[in-house]
C-alpha cells in the first residue's frame, strides 16, 4: 500500500459542519497532495516498477479516491474537481465566428485578391489625385467594395460545408459509449464523459475509452492499429501487462479497468492517412497551375523582347528604351508593367474551386443522408462506393432485423410448445437458470440491457419471463469460478460455477448444436431423467436440427456437467449432458428482394456470408433473391469446404459462390481478400464482432448501428441507424452521384481555366498598347487582359456559383442503371478528355475570331469587341454547365429536375446583362446591341451541339489529358 509520503488522501475525518464556501475549498484542494502527472503518465511510460512501489492498483485507487465496487461519487462537485485536476475527454466547442473569420482572412490572403485589392486602393488614390476627393473616390471605392463582396461570398461558400459537418457531428447517432459504475450504480455513458478514477467494464467490441489499468477479468485481448496500418493484438492481465491504451478495441474476454488518464494525457496511436480523391484533385490543380505559370512566362518573354527591341511606345508615340529621351521613371514603370500582366495570369490560373466543390458536395450529400439516419464516417469514401462491384453481407442484423424471438424449445426429444416452468423438473429448471443466467458476457448482471448480442439478450429475457428465472437469487446462490467468453471461431461459451449451498461444482456450455452435441454423452428429459446419447437418439436430434434449419430457426444448444475442481481439468468433453435446444427466429428486413434486384441491375453482385448452417442460409438467400430455387452446384458452400480450397481453386470458384454458410470470421476475411485479389471492389455489410476484420479489409465497410458493437462501428465507413435494407441503394446512389458531380465540376472548371489562359495570353501579347507604361495606373485602371470587376466576376462564377449549380442537386436514378466505374480509372476519363478538348478548342476558335476579326465582322469598336469577348466567355461557361448532364436523358426532363442549376444559370446571365448594359462604367465594358447579344447567345449555345457530336462519334480520337493515375488503396 502507498506510504503517506506517496499519496495522502484528502481529509475526510472532520465531523464539523462546513458551509458551501468551505466545501468548495476542500473539493478544489483534492488530489493536490500528489502530482497528478505521476498517474496520468503511468500508461504512457508503462512503468510497472513505479506501480509496485506505490501499492499497485489498490494504491492508485486509494489516491484517486475511488472504489472497485462503487466507483467514484459522480456528483457535480466530484466531476468538476476531477476534470480540474486530470483533464477531460470532452471535445472543445467550435467557435463559428472564429471559423468564418479564418475563412475571411484566408480569402483576403489569396494572391489574386491581394493584388486586386492593392490595385483598387491605388485606383482610389490616383482617382482622387486626378479628379479630386469629391468625384475621384467613386471608382476606387466601388472596386474595394466589389472585392469585399467576393471575399464574403467566397468565405461563405467554404463556411457552409463546415457548419453542416459540425451540425452533422452534433446530432449524429454515432457516439461511442461505455459502462461505468458511479455511486454503486452501473450506467452507460458516452466515452467523452469518462473521468479519471472511473471503474469501466469492458466487453468484446468495446473501445477502450481512456488510458487505464486492468483490475480483474478473463481472457482480455485488445487490438490496436499502428501508424503503418498494421494491427497489434495485445493480451492484458493483472501481472504481465496491466496497461490498457485509449482507442484500442476489445476483441475477446472481459475486464474491469481503472481510468488513469483522459483527454490530452492519453497515449495516442496514429493511423496513417491514405491517398484519396482529394489527392487526385490536388494533382489536377497543380497541373493547371503549372500551365498558367508557363503561359505567364511566355507572356513575360514576349513583353521583354518587345522592350529590348524598342517596340514599346509611350502615350506620345515615343519609343521607350534605356537612355535617350526616355525618363528613368517611365522606364521603371514599363518594367513594372511588363511584370504586371504575367503576374496576374499566373495568379488567376490555379483552379482553387475544386477543393471547395468537393466540400460543398459532401456536406450537401451527407446532410441528405443524415435525414434518413445514415452516418458517413469517411466522406471521401465516395469514389470507392461508386466503384463497388460486389456486396457481401451477413444474415443476422443485415438481411434480418436485430430483434429476435424464442419460438422453439426442446427438452430432450420433446418439443415444449407452451413453455410452463412448472412442467419441467425443478432440478432441470435450476440447471437451465444457471446455464442461461450465468453463462453470459458480462456475467451476473441483473438485467439484459448490457448483454453483447441480441441472441444472448433474447434468451435471457425469455428465461426470465417464461422459465421464471430470478437473477438476483441466482447470483446469491452461485459463485462464478471461471468464464470462457463466446468466441466466433469455436462458437461456444462456458462457465464454471460453485453452488453456495452444497459447494458442488458445475460446468455449463452453450453454443452451436454441431459443436455442443458431439461433446454430450447423455441428455436430460423434462422429468429430470438422464438418458444415454446413442446412435438413434443422435439421429433424432439431427432430424430436429434439420427441421428447425428448414424453417429458418437459429438453434442454440445448452449442456451441463456436475464435477469437482479436481476432476474439472481431467474430464472428457464428451461427458457433458445435453440440457436443451432453443430455436430463435428474426424477421427479414423490408425491401431485401427488391434491393438485391436493384443491385444486380446496377452491375453489382450480392453474396450472403453467414454463420448459420447451410440449410438456413439457403432458405434465406432464396427468399431474398440472392439465389434461385434451382441454384447451380457451387453457388452454396460452407466454410469448411471454402477453407479447404487451394488458392487456385478458390480464385477459380470465388465469383460463382453466392452463399457461404457456417462461415467463421476468418472465412469472411478470406472471402473479401479473395474478391479483391480477383479485381472486385468489395462492400461488406457486417454487424457482429466477428465481422470487424472483414469490415476493415473491405473497400467499403457498412453496418447497421442500432445494436452493433463499438468495434463494428469503428471499422465501418458508413453506419446505418435505419431499419430498411433498401437504404443500401441510397448509399450506392450517393457514392456514384458525388463522384459524377466532382467529375462534372472538374470538367467545367478545366474548360473555363484553359480558355481563360488562352484569352489572357492572346489579348495581352496582341495589344498595341504598352503592357504598363505608368504601370501601376494601368493595372489599377484595367490595362490587363480583364479589368478588376471582370476578374472578380469570373472568380465568383467559377469558384462559387458553379459549385452550387453543379454539386447541390439530388443524384439522378440513372446512375444506378449503369455498371460501376473502374476504380483504377482516372478522374478525367478518355471520354471526358474528348469533351474538354472539343469544348476548349471550340471556345478558343470563337474568341480568336472575335478578337482579331470582330471589328470588321461585327462592326464594333475596340471596347465593344472586348465586351463581346467577355460576354461570350461568361455565357459559354453558363451554358456549359448544362452540357455534361444534357445527354443523359431527355433534355426537357433534365431541365425540369435541375431547378437550382437553371436558377443559377439564369442569375449569371442576368448579372452579365446588368454589368454590360447598366454598370458598364464600373465594369470596364461597353453596351451591346440586340444583334450583338444574339451573337453571344448563339456562340454560347453552340457547344451543346459540339457535345452531342462528340458523344455520338465514339471513334473521334482517344484524346487524353497528360496525367493522372489515382493512388489505389
Amino acid at each position: 500500500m502507498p506510504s503517506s509520503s506517496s499519496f495522502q488522501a484528502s481529509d475526510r475525518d472532520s465531523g464539523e459542519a462546513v458551509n458551501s464556501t468551505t466545501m468548495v475549498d476542500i473539493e478544489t484542494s483534492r488530489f493536490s497532495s500528489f502530482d497528478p502527472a505521476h498517474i496520468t503518465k503511468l500508461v504512457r511510460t508503462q512503468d510497472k516498477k513505479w506501480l509496485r512501489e506505490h501499492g499497485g492498483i489498490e494504491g492508485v485507487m486509494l489516491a484517486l479516491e475511488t472504489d472497485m465496487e462503487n466507483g467514484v461519487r459522480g456528483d457535480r462537485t466530484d466531476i468538476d474537481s476531477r476534470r480540474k485536476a486530470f483533464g477531460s475527454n470532452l471535445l472543445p466547442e467550435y467557435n463559428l465566428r472564429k471559423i468564418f473569420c479564418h475563412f475571411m482572412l484566408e480569402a483576403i490572403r489569396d494572391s489574386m485578391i491581394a493584388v486586386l485589392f492593392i490595385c483598387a486602393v491605388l485606383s482610389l488614390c490616383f482617382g482622387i489625385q486626378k479628379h479630386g476627393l469629391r468625384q475621384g473616390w467613386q471608382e476606387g471605392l466601388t472596386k474595394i467594395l466589389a472585392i469585399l463582396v467576393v471575399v464574403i461570398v467566397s468565405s461563405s461558400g467554404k463556411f457552409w460545408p463546415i457548419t453542416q459537418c459540425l451540425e452533422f457531428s452534433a446530432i449524429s447517432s454515432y457516439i461511442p459509449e461505455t459502462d461505468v459504475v458511479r455511486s454503486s450504480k452501473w450506467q452507460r455513458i458516452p466515452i467523452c464523459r469518462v473521468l479519471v478514477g472511473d471503474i469501466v467494464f469492458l466487453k468484446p467490441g468495446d473501445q477502450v475509452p481512456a488510458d487505464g489499468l486492468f483490475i480483474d477479468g478473463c481472457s482480455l485481448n485488445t487490438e490496436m492499429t499502428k501508424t503503418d496500418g498494421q494491427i497489434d493484438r495485445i493480451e492484458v492481465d493483472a501481472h504481465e501487462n496491466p496497461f490498457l491504451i485509449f482507442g484500442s478495441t476489445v476483441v475477446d474476454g472481459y475486464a474491469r479497468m481503472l481510468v488513469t488518464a483522459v483527454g490530452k494525457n492519453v497515449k495516442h496511436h496514429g493511423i496513417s492517412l491514405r491517398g484519396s480523391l482529394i489527392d487526385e484533385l490536388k494533382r489536377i490543380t497543380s497541373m493547371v497551375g503549372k500551365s498558367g505559370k508557363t503561359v505567364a512566362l511566355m507572356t513575360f518573354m514576349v513583353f521583354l523582347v518587345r522592350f529590348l527591341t524598342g517596340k514599346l511606345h509611350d502615350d506620345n508615340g515615343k519609343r521607350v528604351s534605356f537612355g535617350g529621351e526616355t525618363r528613368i521613371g517611365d522606364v521603371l514603370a514599363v518594367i513594372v508593367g511588363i511584370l504586371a500582366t504575367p503576374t496576374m495570369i499566373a495568379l488567376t490560373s490555379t483552379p482553387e474551386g475544386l477543393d471547395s466543390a468537393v466540400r460543398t458536395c459532401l456536406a450537401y450529400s451527407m446532410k441528405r443522408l443524415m435525414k434518413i439516419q445514415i452516418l458517413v464516417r469517411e466522406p471521401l469514401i465516395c469514389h470507392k462506393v461508386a466503384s463497388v462491384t460486389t456486396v457481401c453481407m451477413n444474415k443476422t442484423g443485415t438481411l434480418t432485423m436485430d430483434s429476435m424471438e424464442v419460438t422453439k424449445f426442446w427438452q430432450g426429444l420433446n418439443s415444449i410448445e407452451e413453455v410452463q416452468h412448472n412442467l419441467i423438473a425443478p432440478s432441470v429448471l435450476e440447471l437451465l437458470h444457471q446455464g442461461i443466467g450465468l453463462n453470459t458476457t458480462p456475467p451476473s448482471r441483473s438485467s439484459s440491457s448490457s448483454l453483447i448480442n441480441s441472441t444472448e439478450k433474447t434468451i435471457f429475457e425469455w428465461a426470465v419471463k417464461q422459465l421464471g428465472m430470478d437473477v438476483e437469487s441466482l447470483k446469491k446462490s452461485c459463485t462464478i469460478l471461471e468464464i470462457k467468453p463466446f468466441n466466433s471461431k469455436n462458437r461456444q461459451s462456458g462457465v464454471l460455477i460453485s453452488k453456495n449451498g452444497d459447494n458442488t461444482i458445475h460446468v455449463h456450455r452453450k453454443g452451436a448444436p454441431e459443436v455442443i452435441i458431439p461433446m454430450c454423452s447423455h441428455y436430460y428429459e423434462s422429468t429430470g431423467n438422464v438418458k444415454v446419447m446413442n446412435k438413434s437418439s443422435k439421429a433424432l436430434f439431427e432430424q430436429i436440427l434439420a427441421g428447425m434449419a428448414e424453417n429458418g430457426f437459429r438453434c442454440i444448444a445448452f449442456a451441463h456437467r456436475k464435477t469437482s475442481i479436481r476432476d474439472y481439468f481431467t474430464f472428457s468433453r464428451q461427458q457433458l449432458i445435453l440440457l436443451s435446444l432453443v430455436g430463435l427466429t428474426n424477421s427479414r428486413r423490408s425491401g431485401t428482394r427488391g434491393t438485391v434486384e436493384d443491385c444486380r441491375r446496377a452491375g453489382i453482385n450480392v453474396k450472403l456470408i453467414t454463420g448459420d448452417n447451410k440449410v438456413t442460409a439457403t432458405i434465406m438467400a432464396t427468399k431474398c433473391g440472392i439465389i434461385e430455387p434451382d441454384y447451380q452446384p457451387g453457388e452454396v458452400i460452407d466454410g469448411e469446404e471454402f477453407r479447404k480450397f487451394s488458392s487456385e481453386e478458390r480464385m477459380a470458384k470465388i465469383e460463382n459462390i453466392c452463399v457461404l454458410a457456417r462461415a467463421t470470421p476468418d472465412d469472411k476475411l478470406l472471402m473479401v481478400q479473395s474478391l479483391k485479389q480477383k479485381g472486385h471492389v468489395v462492400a461488406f455489410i457486417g454487424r457482429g464482432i466477428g465481422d470487424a476484420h472483414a469490415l476493415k479489409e473491405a473497400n467499403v465497410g457498412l453496418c447497421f448501428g442500432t445494436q452493433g458493437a463499438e468495434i463494428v462501428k469503428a471499422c465501418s465507413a458508413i453506419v446505418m441507424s435505419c431499419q430498411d435494407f433498401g437504404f443500401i441503394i441510397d448509399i450506392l446512389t450517393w457514392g456514384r452521384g458525388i463522384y459524377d458531380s466532382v467529375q462534372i465540376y472538374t470538367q467545367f472548371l478545366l474548360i473555363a481555366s484553359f480558355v481563360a489562359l488562352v484569352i489572357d495570353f492572346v489579348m495581352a501579347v496582341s495589344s498595341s498598347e504598352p503592357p504598363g507604361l505608368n504601370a501601376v495606373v494601368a493595372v489599377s485602371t484595367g490595362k490587363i487582359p480583364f479589368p478588376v470587376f471582370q476578374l472578380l466576376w469570373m472568380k465568383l462564377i467559377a469558384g462559387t456559383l458553379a459549385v452550387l449549380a453543379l454539386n447541390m442537386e439530388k443524384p439522378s436514378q440513372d446512375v444506378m442503371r449503369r455498371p460501376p466505374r473502374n476504380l483504377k480509372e482516372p478522374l478525367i476519363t478518355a471520354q471526358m478528355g474528348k469533351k474538354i478538348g472539343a469544348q476548349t478548342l471550340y471556345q478558343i476558335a470563337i474568341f480568336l475570331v472575335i478578337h482579331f476579326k470582330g471589328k470588321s465582322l461585327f462592326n464594333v469598336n475596340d471596347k465593344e469587341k472586348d465586351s463581346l469577348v467577355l460576354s461570350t466567355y461568361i455565357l459559354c461557361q453558363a451554358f456549359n454547365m448544362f452540357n455534361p448532364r444534357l445527354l443523359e436523358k431527355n433534355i426537357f426532363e433534365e431541365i425540369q429536375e435541375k431547378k437550382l442549376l437553371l436558377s443559377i444559370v439564369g442569375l449569371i446571365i442576368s448579372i452579365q446583362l446588368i454589368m454590360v448594359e447598366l454598370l458598364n462604367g464600373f465594369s470596364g465594358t461597353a453596351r451591346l446591341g440586340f444583334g450583338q447579344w444574339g451573337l453571344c447567345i448563339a456562340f454560347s449555345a453552340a457547344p451543346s451541339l459540339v457535345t452531342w457530336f462528340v458523344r455520338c462519334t465514339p471513334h473521334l480520337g482517344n484524346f487524353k489529358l497528360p496525367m493522372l493515375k489515382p493512388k489505389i488503396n
Side-chain angles (χ1 to χ4, degrees), residues 770-785:
L773 189 59
N774 287 326
V776 175
V777 181
V779 172
S780 65
T781 55
K783 299 293 180 68
I784 51 178

Side-chain angles (χ1 to χ4, degrees), residues 608 610 613-619 621-622 626-629 631-639 641 645 656-662:
L608 175 62
T610 177
N613 62 50
K614 206 169 181 178
V615 177
T616 304
T618 301
I619 292 172
T622 304
I626 297 174
I627 57 173
E628 298 298 328
Y631 61 89
Q632 300 298 313
E635 290 185 353
V636 180
I637 65 172
D638 59 32
E641 183 182 357
F645 287 152
N656 191 45
I657 298 173
C658 297
V659 178
L660 182 61
R662 280 304 178 203

Side-chain angles (χ1 to χ4, degrees), residues 79-123:
I79 291 173
D80 290 343
S81 62
R82 290 179 186 276
R83 285 179 177 165
K84 181 177 180 180
F86 302 103
S88 170
N89 254 3
L90 292 172
L91 295 175
E93 294 184 1
Y94 290 95
N95 189 316
L96 295 180
R97 183 179 299 176
K98 289 184 178 179
I99 293 175
F100 184 75
C101 291
H102 167 75
F103 285 126
M104 286 278 290
L105 292 174
E106 188 179 73
I108 292 172
R109 287 196 296 262
D110 178 273
S111 301
M112 190 193 84
I113 292 294
V115 171
L116 292 180
F117 186 78
I118 293 172
C119 294
V121 171
L122 292 173
S123 176

Side-chain angles (χ1 to χ4, degrees), residues 397-402 587-592 704 722-723 725:
T398 302
L399 291 176
T400 62
M401 302 291 285
D402 283 320
S587 56
R588 195 160 44 99
R589 288 189 187 271
S590 60
T592 52
F704 285 94
C722 48
Q723 297 293 321
F725 183 71

Side-chain angles (χ1 to χ4, degrees), residues 221-224 231-235 251-252 487 489 693:
N221 284 269
T222 64
E223 284 187 351
M224 184 175 67
I231 296 175
D232 268 352
R233 191 179 180 101
I234 304 170
E235 186 175 348
V251 294
D252 199 8
N487 187 290
K489 294 182 179 179
H693 289 297

